[in-house]
Amino acid sequence: METKTTVIAPEELQKQAEICGEIRARWAEAGRTPRAFVDTYGCQQNEADSERIRGYLSQMGYGFTDQEEEAQIIVLNTCAIREHAEQRVFGNVGALVHTKRAKPGQLICVCGCMAQEQHVADKIKQSFRHVDLVFGPHVLWKFPEFIHTLLTSRGRIFQIPDEAGSIAEGIPVVRQDKVKAWVSIMYGCNNFCSYCIVPYVRGRERSRKPEDILNEVRELVAEGYKDITLLGQNVNSYGKDLDEPMDFADLLEQVNAVPGDFLIRFMTSHPKDATQKLFETMARCEKVAPVLHLPFQAGNDRVLKVMNRKHTIEQYLDKIRALRALIPDIVLTSDVIVGFPGETTPEFEDTLKVLEEVRFDALFTFIYSPRVGTPAAKMDDPMSREEKLANFNRLVALQDSISEEKHAAYIGKTMRCLVDGESGDSRYPLSARTPGNRLVRLTGDPAVIGQFVQVKITDANKWSLFGEMA
Ligand code: 5AD
Ligand code: SF4
Protein backbone atom coordinates (compact mmCIF):
# COMPACT_ATOMS: atom_id res chain seq x y z
CA MET A 1 0.00 0.00 0.00
CA GLU A 2 1.27 3.48 -0.94
CA THR A 3 1.87 5.37 2.29
CA LYS A 4 3.73 8.52 1.23
CA THR A 5 1.48 11.46 0.52
CA THR A 6 1.32 12.99 -2.95
CA VAL A 7 1.24 16.77 -2.73
CA ILE A 8 -0.12 18.77 -5.67
CA ALA A 9 2.67 21.04 -6.92
CA PRO A 10 2.27 24.79 -6.20
CA GLU A 11 2.63 25.49 -9.96
CA GLU A 12 -0.46 23.36 -10.61
CA LEU A 13 -2.45 25.38 -8.08
CA GLN A 14 -1.04 28.60 -9.52
CA LYS A 15 -2.43 27.49 -12.89
CA GLN A 16 -5.88 27.04 -11.31
CA ALA A 17 -5.62 30.54 -9.81
CA GLU A 18 -4.83 31.94 -13.27
CA ILE A 19 -7.84 30.13 -14.73
CA CYS A 20 -9.99 31.71 -11.99
CA GLY A 21 -8.67 35.11 -13.10
CA GLU A 22 -9.58 34.38 -16.76
CA ILE A 23 -13.11 33.39 -15.82
CA ARG A 24 -13.50 36.46 -13.62
CA ALA A 25 -12.33 38.65 -16.52
CA ARG A 26 -14.89 37.02 -18.87
CA TRP A 27 -17.75 37.88 -16.52
CA ALA A 28 -16.41 41.40 -15.93
CA GLU A 29 -16.21 41.95 -19.70
CA ALA A 30 -19.81 40.83 -20.03
CA GLY A 31 -20.64 43.39 -17.32
CA ARG A 32 -22.28 40.78 -15.07
CA THR A 33 -21.90 39.37 -11.58
CA PRO A 34 -22.88 35.73 -11.90
CA ARG A 35 -24.33 33.86 -8.91
CA ALA A 36 -23.56 30.42 -7.53
CA PHE A 37 -25.72 28.09 -5.45
CA VAL A 38 -23.76 25.57 -3.36
CA ASP A 39 -25.66 22.84 -1.53
CA THR A 40 -23.82 20.59 0.93
CA TYR A 41 -24.89 17.17 2.18
CA GLY A 42 -23.27 15.01 4.85
CA CYS A 43 -20.38 15.49 7.21
CA GLN A 44 -18.08 18.33 8.28
CA GLN A 45 -15.48 17.20 5.77
CA ASN A 46 -17.97 18.03 3.04
CA GLU A 47 -18.72 21.38 4.69
CA ALA A 48 -15.00 22.08 4.64
CA ASP A 49 -14.78 21.06 0.96
CA SER A 50 -17.73 23.34 0.12
CA GLU A 51 -15.85 26.23 1.72
CA ARG A 52 -13.06 25.60 -0.80
CA ILE A 53 -15.53 25.33 -3.68
CA ARG A 54 -16.94 28.71 -2.59
CA GLY A 55 -13.39 30.04 -2.36
CA TYR A 56 -12.72 29.06 -5.97
CA LEU A 57 -16.12 30.36 -7.13
CA SER A 58 -15.47 33.67 -5.45
CA GLN A 59 -12.10 33.94 -7.25
CA MET A 60 -13.89 33.18 -10.51
CA GLY A 61 -16.05 36.24 -9.89
CA TYR A 62 -19.21 34.52 -8.65
CA GLY A 63 -21.39 35.90 -5.88
CA PHE A 64 -23.69 33.58 -3.94
CA THR A 65 -27.43 32.96 -3.80
CA ASP A 66 -29.69 30.53 -1.98
CA GLN A 67 -32.15 30.44 -4.90
CA GLU A 68 -31.40 27.76 -7.50
CA GLU A 69 -33.30 29.65 -10.21
CA GLU A 70 -31.06 32.73 -9.83
CA ALA A 71 -27.81 30.80 -10.17
CA GLN A 72 -25.54 30.57 -13.22
CA ILE A 73 -23.88 27.63 -11.53
CA ILE A 74 -25.25 25.02 -9.13
CA VAL A 75 -22.93 22.75 -7.14
CA LEU A 76 -24.27 19.80 -5.16
CA ASN A 77 -21.60 18.47 -2.81
CA THR A 78 -22.94 15.02 -2.01
CA CYS A 79 -22.68 12.33 0.68
CA ALA A 80 -22.62 8.57 0.11
CA ILE A 81 -22.62 7.31 3.69
CA ARG A 82 -26.22 6.01 3.67
CA GLU A 83 -28.84 5.33 1.03
CA HIS A 84 -31.19 7.97 2.40
CA ALA A 85 -28.61 10.72 1.72
CA GLU A 86 -28.17 9.43 -1.84
CA GLN A 87 -31.91 9.33 -2.52
CA ARG A 88 -32.24 12.95 -1.41
CA VAL A 89 -29.47 13.98 -3.78
CA PHE A 90 -31.02 12.11 -6.71
CA GLY A 91 -34.39 13.73 -5.95
CA ASN A 92 -32.85 17.21 -5.88
CA VAL A 93 -30.69 16.63 -8.98
CA GLY A 94 -33.80 15.42 -10.83
CA ALA A 95 -35.75 18.56 -9.92
CA LEU A 96 -32.99 20.78 -11.37
CA VAL A 97 -34.03 19.81 -14.89
CA HIS A 98 -36.81 22.44 -14.63
CA THR A 99 -34.49 25.10 -13.19
CA LYS A 100 -32.09 24.61 -16.04
CA ARG A 101 -34.85 24.71 -18.68
CA ALA A 102 -35.85 28.13 -17.34
CA LYS A 103 -32.23 29.30 -17.34
CA PRO A 104 -30.35 28.04 -20.40
CA GLY A 105 -26.58 28.02 -19.94
CA GLN A 106 -26.88 27.22 -16.24
CA LEU A 107 -24.10 24.80 -15.20
CA ILE A 108 -25.02 21.92 -12.91
CA CYS A 109 -22.20 20.18 -11.03
CA VAL A 110 -22.31 17.13 -8.77
CA CYS A 111 -19.26 16.48 -6.58
CA GLY A 112 -18.42 14.87 -3.24
CA CYS A 113 -18.49 11.24 -2.20
CA MET A 114 -21.39 10.09 -4.39
CA ALA A 115 -19.67 11.52 -7.44
CA GLN A 116 -16.73 9.21 -6.75
CA GLU A 117 -18.93 6.09 -7.04
CA GLN A 118 -18.87 4.61 -10.56
CA HIS A 119 -22.49 3.43 -10.46
CA VAL A 120 -23.66 6.93 -9.49
CA ALA A 121 -21.62 8.55 -12.26
CA ASP A 122 -23.10 6.04 -14.74
CA LYS A 123 -26.62 6.80 -13.58
CA ILE A 124 -26.06 10.55 -13.91
CA LYS A 125 -24.54 10.08 -17.36
CA GLN A 126 -27.56 8.17 -18.61
CA SER A 127 -30.53 9.51 -16.68
CA PHE A 128 -29.64 13.09 -15.67
CA ARG A 129 -28.48 14.64 -18.91
CA HIS A 130 -28.84 18.16 -17.55
CA VAL A 131 -25.84 17.58 -15.25
CA ASP A 132 -22.72 19.09 -16.85
CA LEU A 133 -19.96 18.14 -14.43
CA VAL A 134 -19.34 15.21 -12.10
CA PHE A 135 -16.09 15.15 -10.13
CA GLY A 136 -14.82 13.23 -7.10
CA PRO A 137 -13.18 14.70 -3.97
CA HIS A 138 -9.67 13.81 -5.20
CA VAL A 139 -9.83 16.38 -8.02
CA LEU A 140 -11.60 19.22 -6.24
CA TRP A 141 -8.43 21.27 -6.71
CA LYS A 142 -9.05 21.22 -10.50
CA PHE A 143 -12.54 22.73 -10.22
CA PRO A 144 -11.62 26.02 -12.03
CA GLU A 145 -10.19 24.07 -14.97
CA PHE A 146 -13.42 22.06 -15.30
CA ILE A 147 -15.55 25.20 -15.23
CA HIS A 148 -13.33 26.89 -17.81
CA THR A 149 -13.73 23.92 -20.16
CA LEU A 150 -17.50 23.95 -19.72
CA LEU A 151 -17.71 27.69 -20.39
CA THR A 152 -15.55 27.55 -23.51
CA SER A 153 -16.57 24.31 -25.21
CA ARG A 154 -19.53 21.98 -25.50
CA GLY A 155 -19.94 18.66 -23.74
CA ARG A 156 -20.06 17.18 -20.27
CA ILE A 157 -17.20 16.29 -17.90
CA PHE A 158 -16.98 13.14 -15.76
CA GLN A 159 -13.85 13.06 -13.58
CA ILE A 160 -13.67 10.25 -11.06
CA PRO A 161 -10.02 9.26 -10.94
CA ASP A 162 -9.05 5.87 -9.59
CA GLU A 163 -6.20 6.95 -7.33
CA ALA A 164 -5.26 7.01 -3.66
CA GLY A 165 -5.76 10.78 -3.35
CA SER A 166 -3.47 13.73 -2.79
CA ILE A 167 -3.14 16.91 -0.77
CA ALA A 168 -3.54 20.37 -2.28
CA GLU A 169 -2.42 23.32 -0.13
CA GLY A 170 -3.45 26.89 -0.85
CA ILE A 171 -6.94 26.48 -2.31
CA PRO A 172 -8.87 29.68 -1.48
CA VAL A 173 -11.55 29.35 1.21
CA VAL A 174 -14.78 31.25 1.84
CA ARG A 175 -15.88 30.26 5.35
CA GLN A 176 -19.54 30.07 6.31
CA ASP A 177 -19.12 31.07 9.93
CA LYS A 178 -17.26 33.84 11.75
CA VAL A 179 -16.87 32.09 15.12
CA LYS A 180 -16.32 28.40 14.38
CA ALA A 181 -13.98 27.01 11.74
CA TRP A 182 -13.03 23.59 10.37
CA VAL A 183 -9.42 22.70 9.71
CA SER A 184 -8.82 19.47 7.82
CA ILE A 185 -5.68 17.84 9.18
CA MET A 186 -5.84 14.69 7.07
CA TYR A 187 -7.94 13.09 4.38
CA GLY A 188 -9.10 9.55 3.66
CA CYS A 189 -9.35 6.40 5.75
CA ASN A 190 -7.46 3.09 5.83
CA ASN A 191 -9.76 1.22 8.19
CA PHE A 192 -12.23 -0.42 5.82
CA CYS A 193 -14.95 -1.03 8.38
CA SER A 194 -17.02 -3.57 6.47
CA TYR A 195 -20.15 -1.39 6.19
CA CYS A 196 -18.44 1.86 5.21
CA ILE A 197 -18.03 3.45 1.79
CA VAL A 198 -15.63 6.19 2.94
CA PRO A 199 -12.31 4.42 2.22
CA TYR A 200 -13.51 3.75 -1.34
CA VAL A 201 -14.55 7.31 -2.10
CA ARG A 202 -12.09 9.34 -0.01
CA GLY A 203 -8.99 7.24 -0.66
CA ARG A 204 -6.09 6.36 1.63
CA GLU A 205 -5.09 8.30 4.72
CA ARG A 206 -2.87 11.27 4.05
CA SER A 207 -1.80 13.92 6.52
CA ARG A 208 -1.23 17.62 5.97
CA LYS A 209 2.13 18.90 7.20
CA PRO A 210 1.99 20.30 10.76
CA GLU A 211 3.39 23.67 9.56
CA ASP A 212 0.49 24.08 7.13
CA ILE A 213 -2.05 23.20 9.81
CA LEU A 214 -0.46 25.51 12.38
CA ASN A 215 -0.32 28.39 9.89
CA GLU A 216 -4.01 27.95 9.13
CA VAL A 217 -4.86 27.89 12.85
CA ARG A 218 -2.79 31.05 13.46
CA GLU A 219 -4.59 32.85 10.63
CA LEU A 220 -7.99 31.79 11.99
CA VAL A 221 -7.13 32.99 15.49
CA ALA A 222 -5.90 36.31 14.06
CA GLU A 223 -9.24 36.64 12.21
CA GLY A 224 -11.06 36.18 15.51
CA TYR A 225 -12.22 32.55 15.28
CA LYS A 226 -12.86 31.10 18.73
CA ASP A 227 -13.72 27.47 18.08
CA ILE A 228 -11.52 25.39 15.80
CA THR A 229 -12.29 21.79 14.92
CA LEU A 230 -9.49 19.63 13.56
CA LEU A 231 -11.05 17.30 11.01
CA GLY A 232 -10.28 13.89 9.61
CA GLN A 233 -12.04 10.56 9.16
CA ASN A 234 -9.71 9.08 11.72
CA VAL A 235 -7.67 11.86 13.34
CA ASN A 236 -5.97 9.45 15.75
CA SER A 237 -3.86 8.02 12.95
CA TYR A 238 -2.61 11.48 11.94
CA GLY A 239 1.01 11.75 10.92
CA LYS A 240 1.89 8.15 10.11
CA ASP A 241 2.59 9.03 6.47
CA LEU A 242 4.63 12.20 7.09
CA ASP A 243 8.34 12.33 6.22
CA GLU A 244 8.97 13.17 9.87
CA PRO A 245 6.33 11.06 11.60
CA MET A 246 4.47 12.56 14.53
CA ASP A 247 1.21 11.57 16.14
CA PHE A 248 -2.08 13.30 16.74
CA ALA A 249 -1.33 14.01 20.40
CA ASP A 250 1.86 15.87 19.32
CA LEU A 251 -0.16 17.91 16.84
CA LEU A 252 -2.76 18.74 19.48
CA GLU A 253 0.01 19.97 21.78
CA GLN A 254 1.38 22.23 19.02
CA VAL A 255 -2.05 23.65 18.15
CA ASN A 256 -2.63 24.26 21.87
CA ALA A 257 0.59 26.31 21.95
CA VAL A 258 -0.74 28.80 19.35
CA PRO A 259 -1.32 32.02 21.33
CA GLY A 260 -4.91 33.25 21.71
CA ASP A 261 -8.20 32.58 23.46
CA PHE A 262 -9.84 29.78 21.48
CA LEU A 263 -11.10 26.22 21.86
CA ILE A 264 -9.77 23.18 20.03
CA ARG A 265 -12.05 20.31 19.09
CA PHE A 266 -11.39 17.32 16.85
CA MET A 267 -13.27 14.57 15.09
CA THR A 268 -13.53 11.69 14.34
CA SER A 269 -11.55 9.33 16.55
CA HIS A 270 -11.29 5.57 16.16
CA PRO A 271 -11.19 3.68 19.49
CA LYS A 272 -8.37 1.40 18.35
CA ASP A 273 -6.08 4.43 17.86
CA ALA A 274 -7.19 6.50 20.87
CA THR A 275 -4.19 6.25 23.20
CA GLN A 276 -3.39 7.03 26.81
CA LYS A 277 -0.98 9.65 25.43
CA LEU A 278 -3.89 11.32 23.64
CA PHE A 279 -5.99 11.38 26.82
CA GLU A 280 -3.09 12.80 28.86
CA THR A 281 -2.52 15.47 26.22
CA MET A 282 -6.22 16.39 26.25
CA ALA A 283 -6.14 16.68 30.03
CA ARG A 284 -3.01 18.85 29.98
CA CYS A 285 -3.85 21.21 27.09
CA GLU A 286 -6.10 23.98 28.40
CA LYS A 287 -7.51 24.92 24.98
CA VAL A 288 -8.58 21.39 24.10
CA ALA A 289 -12.32 21.18 24.80
CA PRO A 290 -13.39 18.50 27.33
CA VAL A 291 -15.31 16.44 24.79
CA LEU A 292 -14.62 13.29 22.79
CA HIS A 293 -16.62 11.78 19.95
CA LEU A 294 -15.63 8.11 20.04
CA PRO A 295 -17.84 5.88 17.86
CA PHE A 296 -18.30 2.31 19.11
CA GLN A 297 -20.87 1.25 16.46
CA ALA A 298 -22.01 -1.94 18.24
CA GLY A 299 -21.89 -3.41 21.74
CA ASN A 300 -21.27 -7.02 20.80
CA ASP A 301 -17.79 -8.45 20.10
CA ARG A 302 -18.94 -10.82 17.35
CA VAL A 303 -20.64 -7.95 15.53
CA LEU A 304 -17.61 -5.69 16.04
CA LYS A 305 -15.40 -8.36 14.51
CA VAL A 306 -17.58 -8.73 11.41
CA MET A 307 -17.67 -4.93 11.19
CA ASN A 308 -13.84 -5.10 11.07
CA ARG A 309 -13.58 -2.60 13.92
CA LYS A 310 -10.41 -4.21 15.36
CA HIS A 311 -11.31 -3.75 19.05
CA THR A 312 -13.53 -5.45 21.63
CA ILE A 313 -16.14 -3.73 23.73
CA GLU A 314 -14.06 -4.31 26.88
CA GLN A 315 -11.13 -2.51 25.27
CA TYR A 316 -13.47 0.35 24.41
CA LEU A 317 -14.82 0.57 27.96
CA ASP A 318 -11.27 0.45 29.37
CA LYS A 319 -10.40 3.51 27.27
CA ILE A 320 -13.47 5.37 28.50
CA ARG A 321 -12.50 4.56 32.12
CA ALA A 322 -8.93 5.73 31.54
CA LEU A 323 -10.16 8.98 29.99
CA ARG A 324 -12.65 9.63 32.78
CA ALA A 325 -9.94 9.04 35.38
CA LEU A 326 -8.04 11.95 33.82
CA ILE A 327 -10.98 14.22 32.84
CA PRO A 328 -13.94 13.34 35.08
CA ASP A 329 -16.37 15.79 33.45
CA ILE A 330 -15.51 14.79 29.86
CA VAL A 331 -18.51 15.02 27.50
CA LEU A 332 -18.76 11.78 25.52
CA THR A 333 -20.60 11.19 22.27
CA SER A 334 -20.64 8.22 19.93
CA ASP A 335 -22.04 6.68 16.72
CA VAL A 336 -24.08 3.47 16.71
CA ILE A 337 -25.36 1.33 13.85
CA VAL A 338 -28.47 -0.78 14.41
CA GLY A 339 -29.32 -3.75 12.20
CA PHE A 340 -25.89 -4.62 10.85
CA PRO A 341 -26.25 -7.81 8.71
CA GLY A 342 -26.64 -10.80 11.02
CA GLU A 343 -26.92 -8.77 14.26
CA THR A 344 -29.52 -10.54 16.43
CA THR A 345 -31.76 -8.78 18.93
CA PRO A 346 -29.79 -10.20 21.93
CA GLU A 347 -26.61 -8.89 20.28
CA PHE A 348 -28.27 -5.51 19.77
CA GLU A 349 -29.15 -5.53 23.48
CA ASP A 350 -25.39 -5.52 24.21
CA THR A 351 -25.39 -2.07 22.59
CA LEU A 352 -28.01 -0.93 25.12
CA LYS A 353 -25.76 -2.23 27.91
CA VAL A 354 -22.92 -0.01 26.65
CA LEU A 355 -25.25 3.00 26.76
CA GLU A 356 -26.21 2.19 30.34
CA GLU A 357 -22.60 1.74 31.34
CA VAL A 358 -21.06 4.76 29.62
CA ARG A 359 -24.04 7.14 29.72
CA PHE A 360 -23.08 9.18 26.67
CA ASP A 361 -24.12 12.81 26.58
CA ALA A 362 -25.40 12.36 23.03
CA LEU A 363 -25.50 9.62 20.45
CA PHE A 364 -25.73 9.59 16.66
CA THR A 365 -27.84 6.58 15.75
CA PHE A 366 -28.15 4.97 12.33
CA ILE A 367 -29.97 2.04 10.81
CA TYR A 368 -27.55 -0.01 8.71
CA SER A 369 -27.68 0.93 5.04
CA PRO A 370 -26.02 -1.37 2.48
CA ARG A 371 -23.41 0.39 0.32
CA VAL A 372 -22.46 -1.01 -3.09
CA GLY A 373 -18.89 -2.34 -3.10
CA THR A 374 -18.51 -2.83 0.67
CA PRO A 375 -18.12 -6.35 2.16
CA ALA A 376 -21.19 -5.98 4.41
CA ALA A 377 -23.44 -5.37 1.41
CA LYS A 378 -22.83 -9.02 0.40
CA MET A 379 -23.56 -10.47 3.86
CA ASP A 380 -26.77 -12.29 4.77
CA ASP A 381 -29.19 -9.87 6.36
CA PRO A 382 -32.17 -11.89 7.60
CA MET A 383 -33.67 -9.45 10.12
CA SER A 384 -36.84 -7.70 8.96
CA ARG A 385 -37.00 -3.94 8.56
CA GLU A 386 -39.71 -3.84 11.27
CA GLU A 387 -37.51 -5.62 13.82
CA LYS A 388 -34.57 -3.31 13.05
CA LEU A 389 -36.84 -0.31 13.45
CA ALA A 390 -38.17 -1.61 16.77
CA ASN A 391 -34.58 -2.04 18.02
CA PHE A 392 -33.67 1.40 16.72
CA ASN A 393 -36.60 2.93 18.62
CA ARG A 394 -35.52 1.20 21.84
CA LEU A 395 -32.03 2.60 21.40
CA VAL A 396 -33.28 6.15 20.79
CA ALA A 397 -35.67 5.99 23.76
CA LEU A 398 -32.90 4.85 26.11
CA GLN A 399 -30.50 7.53 24.89
CA ASP A 400 -33.20 10.21 25.13
CA SER A 401 -33.74 9.42 28.78
CA ILE A 402 -29.99 9.47 29.45
CA SER A 403 -29.53 12.77 27.57
CA GLU A 404 -32.42 14.29 29.48
CA GLU A 405 -30.96 13.24 32.85
CA LYS A 406 -27.50 14.44 31.90
CA HIS A 407 -28.84 17.78 30.73
CA ALA A 408 -30.93 18.22 33.89
CA ALA A 409 -27.72 17.92 35.94
CA TYR A 410 -26.48 21.18 34.37
CA ILE A 411 -29.34 23.24 35.88
CA GLY A 412 -27.99 25.75 38.41
CA LYS A 413 -24.39 25.54 37.13
CA THR A 414 -22.55 28.54 35.75
CA MET A 415 -20.11 27.88 32.93
CA ARG A 416 -18.03 29.72 30.35
CA CYS A 417 -19.83 29.37 27.02
CA LEU A 418 -19.10 30.57 23.52
CA VAL A 419 -21.99 32.51 21.99
CA ASP A 420 -21.97 31.28 18.40
CA GLY A 421 -25.04 32.86 16.78
CA GLU A 422 -28.75 33.54 16.89
CA SER A 423 -31.11 30.72 17.76
CA GLY A 424 -34.25 31.85 15.94
CA ASP A 425 -36.23 31.42 19.19
CA SER A 426 -37.68 34.74 20.43
CA ARG A 427 -37.60 33.71 24.10
CA TYR A 428 -33.97 32.58 23.95
CA PRO A 429 -32.59 34.53 20.98
CA LEU A 430 -28.94 33.44 21.24
CA SER A 431 -27.26 30.12 20.74
CA ALA A 432 -24.16 29.18 22.68
CA ARG A 433 -22.01 26.11 23.38
CA THR A 434 -20.68 24.79 26.65
CA PRO A 435 -16.98 23.81 26.62
CA GLY A 436 -18.18 20.24 26.01
CA ASN A 437 -20.19 21.46 22.99
CA ARG A 438 -23.68 21.08 24.49
CA LEU A 439 -26.13 23.49 22.88
CA VAL A 440 -27.40 26.32 25.12
CA ARG A 441 -30.29 28.60 24.16
CA LEU A 442 -29.63 31.91 25.78
CA THR A 443 -31.32 35.20 26.62
CA GLY A 444 -29.27 38.31 25.86
CA ASP A 445 -28.04 40.79 23.32
CA PRO A 446 -26.67 39.70 19.89
CA ALA A 447 -23.70 42.03 20.50
CA VAL A 448 -22.05 39.19 22.46
CA ILE A 449 -22.03 36.80 19.47
CA GLY A 450 -18.48 35.57 19.03
CA GLN A 451 -17.54 36.05 22.68
CA PHE A 452 -17.02 33.76 25.64
CA VAL A 453 -19.49 34.66 28.42
CA GLN A 454 -20.39 33.20 31.83
CA VAL A 455 -23.77 31.51 31.50
CA LYS A 456 -26.05 30.29 34.27
CA ILE A 457 -28.03 27.24 33.15
CA THR A 458 -31.67 27.68 34.15
CA ASP A 459 -33.48 24.86 32.34
CA ALA A 460 -32.90 21.83 30.09
CA ASN A 461 -34.61 19.24 27.92
CA LYS A 462 -33.24 16.21 26.07
CA TRP A 463 -31.94 18.30 23.15
CA SER A 464 -30.55 21.40 24.75
CA LEU A 465 -29.85 23.59 27.77
CA PHE A 466 -31.36 27.02 28.46
CA GLY A 467 -29.61 29.83 30.24
CA GLU A 468 -28.98 33.47 31.00
CA MET A 469 -25.83 35.50 31.23
CA ALA A 470 -24.42 35.37 34.74
N1 5AD B 1 -25.00 2.34 7.31
C1 5AD B 1 -25.37 3.02 8.43
N2 5AD B 1 -24.53 3.84 9.10
C2 5AD B 1 -23.28 3.99 8.61
N3 5AD B 1 -22.24 4.72 9.05
C3 5AD B 1 -21.21 4.56 8.20
N4 5AD B 1 -21.56 3.69 7.22
C4 5AD B 1 -22.85 3.33 7.45
C5 5AD B 1 -23.76 2.48 6.79
N5 5AD B 1 -23.42 1.81 5.70
C6 5AD B 1 -22.29 5.53 10.28
C7 5AD B 1 -21.22 5.09 11.27
C8 5AD B 1 -20.21 6.19 11.19
C9 5AD B 1 -21.10 7.39 10.88
C10 5AD B 1 -20.41 8.56 10.33
O1 5AD B 1 -22.03 6.88 9.95
O2 5AD B 1 -21.81 5.05 12.56
O3 5AD B 1 -19.49 6.38 12.38
FE1 SF4 C 1 -15.76 4.50 7.73
FE2 SF4 C 1 -14.57 3.01 9.64
FE3 SF4 C 1 -13.12 4.81 8.21
FE4 SF4 C 1 -14.93 5.68 10.01
S1 SF4 C 1 -13.07 4.46 10.48
S2 SF4 C 1 -14.63 6.45 7.89
S3 SF4 C 1 -16.54 4.13 9.83
S4 SF4 C 1 -14.10 2.97 7.41
Side-chain angles (χ1 to χ4, degrees):
M1 188 183 289
E2 178 63 59
T3 53
K4 284 284 170 254
T5 300
T6 317
V7 178
I8 306 298
E11 306 80 68
E12 292 277 0
L13 285 156
Q14 182 54 35
K15 190 178 131 202
Q16 300 302 318
E18 284 160 16
I19 295 173
C20 287
E22 278 176 45
I23 297 174
R24 191 168 61 237
R26 275 174 71 102
W27 288 113
E29 237 167 71
R32 297 171 60 193
T33 303
R35 303 255 167 253
F37 172 89
V38 181
D39 201 5
T40 311
Y41 301 76
C43 67
Q44 285 80 5
Q45 186 57 59
N46 258 17
E47 296 287 348
D49 284 352
S50 285
E51 293 184 339
R52 291 191 189 93
I53 290 168
R54 285 199 188 84
Y56 267 147
L57 283 165
S58 172
Q59 288 211 336
M60 289 186 247
Y62 289 84
F64 297 98
T65 173
D66 51 12
Q67 307 293 321
E68 285 107 317
E69 55 280 7
E70 279 181 4
Q72 271 75 19
I73 180 167
I74 293 182
V75 183
L76 301 187
N77 189 7
T78 65
C79 170
I81 198 98
R82 282 170 292 274
E83 194 182 353
H84 177 72
E86 291 206 346
Q87 291 311 337
R88 265 181 62 216
V89 169
F90 279 129
N92 292 346
V93 173
L96 290 176
V97 81
H98 307 292
T99 325
K100 184 158 179 165
R101 213 169 276 150
K103 202 169 176 69
Q106 186 179 55
L107 294 180
I108 299 182
C109 316
V110 177
C111 61
C113 292
M114 271 174 83
Q116 187 66 35
E117 293 180 284
Q118 192 59 52
H119 69 101
V120 171
D122 292 344
K123 179 166 170 171
I124 293 178
K125 205 176 250 173
Q126 280 149 25
S127 312
F128 297 92
R129 295 186 169 272
H130 56 295
V131 174
D132 302 283
L133 167 62
V134 174
F135 66 99
H138 296 340
V139 286
L140 187 156
W141 64 276
K142 283 190 193 169
F143 180 54
E145 188 176 318
F146 301 146
I147 298 302
H148 189 265
T149 307
L150 289 173
L151 290 174
T152 52
S153 55
R154 296 171 75 84
R156 309 167 77 194
I157 300 176
F158 285 80
Q159 276 272 336
I160 46 168
D162 184 16
E163 59 187 48
S166 56
I167 286 194
E169 290 294 346
I171 296 179
V173 179
V174 170
R175 295 188 193 266
Q176 285 298 84
D177 198 287
K178 297 268 172 281
V179 184
K180 300 197 261 193
W182 317 114
V183 175
S184 297
I185 62 163
M186 60 187 300
Y187 305 94
C189 181
N190 290 354
N191 289 321
F192 291 93
C193 301
S194 63
Y195 50 82
C196 187
I197 193 75
V198 168
Y200 304 89
V201 292
R202 288 268 175 188
R204 295 295 65 73
E205 283 172 4
R206 49 218 190 268
S207 307
R208 288 178 71 196
K209 290 204 188 85
E211 312 79 276
D212 292 325
I213 296 168
L214 291 166
N215 282 338
E216 187 172 344
V217 171
R218 283 188 204 102
E219 279 168 25
L220 289 167
V221 173
E223 287 171 35
Y225 283 91
K226 295 280 188 279
D227 183 318
I228 293 176
T229 302
L230 307 178
L231 279 186
Q233 254 78 38
N234 178 17
V235 292
N236 300 145
S237 61
Y238 173 81
K240 288 184 183 153
D241 57 326
L242 292 170
D243 288 335
E244 286 173 47
M246 66 186 286
D247 67 17
F248 179 63
D250 299 331
L251 178 72
L252 214 47
E253 188 103 45
Q254 293 185 12
V255 176
N256 189 68
V258 171
D261 186 12
F262 64 99
L263 282 173
I264 305 164
R265 309 184 190 283
F266 55 88
M267 66 186 306
T268 293
S269 297
H270 192 302
K272 77 176 167 55
D273 302 312
T275 58
Q276 183 69 17
K277 178 179 172 190
L278 171 68
F279 300 157
E280 284 165 10
T281 307
M282 289 174 70
R284 191 172 55 243
C285 291
E286 74 289 353
K287 290 174 191 149
V288 175
V291 50
L292 184 67
H293 180 63
L294 196 62
F296 75 97
Q297 313 294 1
N300 178 274
D301 285 344
R302 188 199 67 81
V303 177
L304 284 174
K305 197 161 171 45
V306 195
M307 285 180 161
N308 194 29
R309 289 291 289 177
K310 304 195 180 86
H311 65 84
T312 64
I313 210 62
E314 206 41 47
Q315 287 164 334
Y316 181 87
L317 294 173
D318 276 346
K319 296 206 178 189
I320 298 287
R321 287 179 205 117
L323 176 59
R324 278 196 167 138
L326 290 166
I327 314 176
D329 61 350
I330 186 94
V331 168
L332 287 169
T333 62
S334 194
D335 291 346
V336 169
I337 297 176
V338 176
F340 182 80
E343 184 186 55
T344 63
T345 290
E347 285 170 339
F348 157 75
E349 284 164 351
D350 289 340
T351 297
L352 299 181
K353 287 183 200 144
V354 176
L355 262 61
E356 309 246 18
E357 164 125 19
V358 177
R359 298 181 61 76
F360 294 99
D361 293 78
L363 202 62
F364 299 88
T365 49
F366 309 103
I367 294 188
Y368 168 73
S369 170
R371 307 284 65 214
V372 174
T374 61
K378 299 191 200 82
M379 294 176 189
D380 267 355
D381 191 2
M383 190 183 278
S384 69
R385 177 89 195 157
E386 291 69 41
E387 196 172 349
K388 289 187 181 188
L389 205 57
N391 287 344
F392 180 79
N393 291 338
R394 284 174 72 190
L395 179 78
V396 172
L398 176 59
Q399 181 56 42
D400 278 356
S401 70
I402 296 172
S403 297
E404 198 163 359
E405 277 174 41
K406 291 211 111 177
H407 279 170
Y410 282 85
I411 298 175
K413 287 190 180 159
T414 298
M415 46 210 326
R416 187 173 187 252
C417 295
L418 176 61
V419 186
D420 60 3
E422 296 189 56
S423 72
D425 171 344
S426 57
R427 277 203 310 149
Y428 294 95
L430 300 178
S431 126
R433 293 277 167 176
T434 67
N437 213 25
R438 299 289 78 214
L439 173 66
V440 187
R441 301 206 176 274
L442 194 64
T443 55
D445 192 315
V448 294
I449 291 174
Q451 294 176 23
F452 289 101
V453 295
Q454 291 293 334
V455 171
K456 180 161 189 229
I457 305 299
T458 52
D459 202 358
N461 62 24
K462 67 184 172 200
W463 298 290
S464 76
L465 310 172
F466 298 86
E468 59 195 30
M469 269 176 253

